[in-house]
Every structure is written in C-alpha cells, then in structure tokens.
Amino acid sequence: TLPAGTPMGDRNAWQELVPHAGDVFIEGFELFDGFIAVEERSNALLRLRTLGADGKSEFVASDEPAYTMGLNVNAETITLESGASVATSSATGAAGDIAFNAISITLEQNAGLLAQGAAAGVADDGDILLSAVDDSPWRSILVNVDVASAGVTIETGSVVRGRDVTILASVDNGSTASGQGTIGSVAGLGDAALKALEGLATAELAVSVVVADADIDIQAGTVISSRNFTAFASTYSTSSASPTLAFLFGGAASVVVADADVTVAGSVTATEDLAIRAATDQSVSSVAKPSAIKGVAAAAAVSVVVTDATAHVTDDATLTVGGDLYVLADNTERVLTQASSLTGKAGIAGVAL
C-alpha cells in the first residue's frame, strides 16, 4: 500500500500489506467496510483470509479437511472494470462458486469471471450467479409513486466460464397501496337544489403509479461457457388506488409501466439446457365508491397498463446447446377497474365512469 498522494514509483514508501509466502498463491481480494477479504490457494485448496483495519489476520475456518470456498459480493452497484477478472479456478481441484448480488451489475469490456476446476468438462467447475434485484423501490412522499430498476450488463469481450451460469434481473415493487388520496371541499354548486351540499361534500382523488424496469444485456463479442445457462429478467408490480373518505365525488387512477428485457448478442455455450426469458407480472386495481349526499354521487375510475417483455437473440449471437433451448417472453395482467355511484332509493343523480 501507499500513503495518499505518494507517487507509485517511490518504492521506499511502499508498505507491506500481505507478506510473501512461497506456498501460497493469491487469487484475488475484495474491499469491505473495515476489512479486506483475500482469496488465496494453499495445498491445492482455496481459502479466505480477512485483514482487519487493526492489522489482524484471520482465516475463514472449514470443518472438513477437503473443501471448496467461493466468492460472494454484495453491494448496491458492482462493476468489474475493463480488463479485470475474478477467478476461483483451480488447476488441481474443484473451483469455488462466484456470486454477485446487487441492484446494478456491470462487467466492462474484456472483463472475466472464471470458475473452472481441474477435471475435464464441468464436474469441478463452480457455479456463477449474477443477481440484480431491486425490491426496495424509490417512493415519492407527496404522491403514491414507486420507481424501481435492476440490470446486468456484460460488455464486449468479456468471458464467463463456469458450471451453471445464472443471470437474473428482477424488480419487485408489489408493496404499493393507495392512501386516502387528495381531499378537497366541493364549493360553488350552482343549482339551488344542490347548494345545501356545500360544506358537506368532499372530492377525493387517489392515484397510484408504479414504474419497473429489469434489463439484461449480453453484448456482441462476449463468451459464456456453462453446463446450464439461464438469463431471466422479470418485474412484479402492484398498483392500487381507492378513495376512502369521498362524499359526493370519488376518483381512482392506477398506472403501471413495466419493462423486462433480455438481449443476447454474444456467444453462449451450454452443454445441457439454455433458457432466455423475460416476464412482467402486474396487478392493478382502481376502485371508486363515493358516498352519496342527499341522493347525489359521482365516481370515476381509470387503469392504465403499459408493459413490454422481450427476449431477443440478435443476429450476432451464437447459441450452442447440448440439451433444450427455451426462449420465452410473457406478460401477466390482472386488472380491476370499478366505479360505483349508489344514491339510494331517494337518489337524485348518480354518475359512474
């Protein structure tokens, strides 16, 4: 390591972080808050060591004399920079698994994820998981709006080799529920017969908006080798609006805009099965049932659903599959739109749209 601001070429200022050991090969490392995780190989086994801020070094213990360990990285955003690689490969035994868990994952150009074991084929290879999940959407304070997105991008020239390679992008903003909406007094009723309703009537409008986007982009020039390969982008959205305190007029509006997209333009090899899928799933409810005042009530409800699920294998892609190939894109929509004006036996006017 070097103190901040010290030139890289000043070897006199270098400070030893991990001492050299002739029987240990350092595979890689990751920086965490308060410690560094070092992935190293010794006696043909992969092991993990933590280096604390206080300088103490500890190994992650195993209960078995023979074992394998993997690398699991969790963050909001994970970027493997251009030309960098992460490897749990082994020339003498089984490779460890690799798991990246975040909201956004990017492998920049010529990056590599390698989990290859010593045995021929994939028997000793490790699994690779790239999971981008956003289940804590941004919510507006003033109005009921949820916005969420998750994505995995593998740029040109990147290489991914492992046993079962799974790439997921998933958005779940299914916790949306309408509140009481916006309430305002109804004034200026011109007809003399309705003039008496002023001060008693309220107009309430409940609005719920959900925006979800899940995207997987495997660019041209990438190389992925696996036993089973899965790329799955999905959105799960719920939008519900229902005024609860409306007298005379109640309005409800629910909107869902959802997009799930998987684009494969690179070279993907699966000795067994290969699946490419995009799916959107949404439940939308707009219900307006205002209470009548002196036989008068009006209700309006509207639901808007704009969805797109695309599984796209481009002309640049090369798929080599030893088993079954699945390419699927599907939308599931459940929509309830209801406006009711119940004015009773003595009703004067009821309008529902």
Side-chain angles (χ1 to χ4, degrees):
T1 61
L2 280 172
T6 304
M8 288 287 292
D10 186 1
R11 286 179 170 266
N12 294 326
W14 288 13
Q15 299 175 5
E16 187 178 71
L17 180 64
V18 180
H20 170 73
D23 60 345
V24 175
F25 178 75
I26 296 178
E27 298 271 4
F29 65 92
E30 292 290 336
L31 303 180
F32 295 89
D33 186 13
F35 70 94
I36 301 173
V38 179
E39 188 178 20
E40 55 188 40
R41 191 173 298 279
S42 179
N43 295 323
L45 293 175
L46 194 67
R47 66 187 185 188
L48 298 177
R49 177 167 31 150
T50 61
L51 298 176
D54 56 2
K56 291 184 179 179
S57 175
E58 296 182 358
F59 288 103
V60 178
S62 172
D63 296 330
E64 302 294 335
Y67 59 88
T68 182
M69 289 192 177
L71 178 64
N72 194 318
V73 181
N74 301 282
E76 287 190 4
T77 301
I78 297 176
T79 301
L80 191 59
E81 295 186 350
S82 179
S85 64
V86 172
T88 58
S89 299
S90 171
T92 57
D97 297 336
I98 298 174
F100 286 1
N101 300 286
I103 296 175
S104 175
I105 301 173
T106 302
L107 273 59
E108 295 184 345
Q109 292 186 13
N110 303 311
L113 290 179
L114 307 174
Q116 294 174 286
V122 295
D124 283 347
D125 291 357
D127 295 333
I128 296 177
L129 170 65
L130 304 180
S131 177
V133 177
D134 189 353
D135 54 6
S136 301
W138 174 86
R139 289 185 173 89
S140 170
I141 298 176
L142 299 178
V143 293
N144 194 25
V145 178
D146 285 8
V147 179
S149 64
V152 178
T153 301
I154 303 178
E155 295 184 357
T156 300
S158 295
V159 176
V160 178
R161 300 186 189 277
R163 183 172 50 199
D164 292 339
V165 176
T166 304
I167 302 174
L168 305 175
S170 178
V171 170
D172 184 354
N173 42 355
S175 61
T176 303
S178 67
Q180 294 181 350
T182 302
I183 302 175
S185 296
V186 178
L189 299 176
D191 192 294
L194 300 179
K195 196 70 175 178
L197 298 182
E198 289 189 16
L200 299 176
T202 61
E204 183 181 9
L205 177 62
V207 179
S208 175
V209 179
V210 172
V211 179
D213 180 70
D215 182 73
I216 296 175
D217 183 14
I218 302 173
Q219 298 180 1
T222 60
V223 176
I224 299 176
S225 299
S226 65
R227 178 179 62 185
N228 293 292
F229 174 81
T230 301
F232 183 23
S234 60
T235 64
Y236 303 92
S237 305
T238 300
S239 181
S240 175
S242 179
T244 56
L245 296 176
F247 292 88
L248 183 63
F249 174 77
S254 293
V255 179
V256 169
V257 179
D259 180 75
D261 184 78
V262 179
T263 301
V264 178
S267 173
V268 181
T269 298
T271 58
E272 294 186 7
D273 298 337
L274 190 154
I276 299 169
R277 184 184 178 192
T280 67
D281 185 304
Q282 40 277 328
S283 297
V284 181
S285 175
S286 302
V287 178
K289 295 181 178 180
S291 299
I293 295 181
K294 295 187 177 182
V296 178
V302 60
S303 298
V304 179
V305 181
V306 181
T307 60
D308 180 61
T310 302
H312 184 200
V313 180
T314 73
D315 292 341
D316 297 323
T318 300
L319 305 182
T320 304
V321 186
D324 295 328
L325 170 64
Y326 304 91
V327 180
L328 307 92
D330 55 275
N331 292 312
T332 301
E333 298 176 358
R334 292 168 291 273
V335 182
L336 170 64
T337 308
Q338 180 180 359
S340 302
S341 295
L342 303 178
T343 59
K345 292 182 179 180
I348 297 174
V351 179
L353 176 63

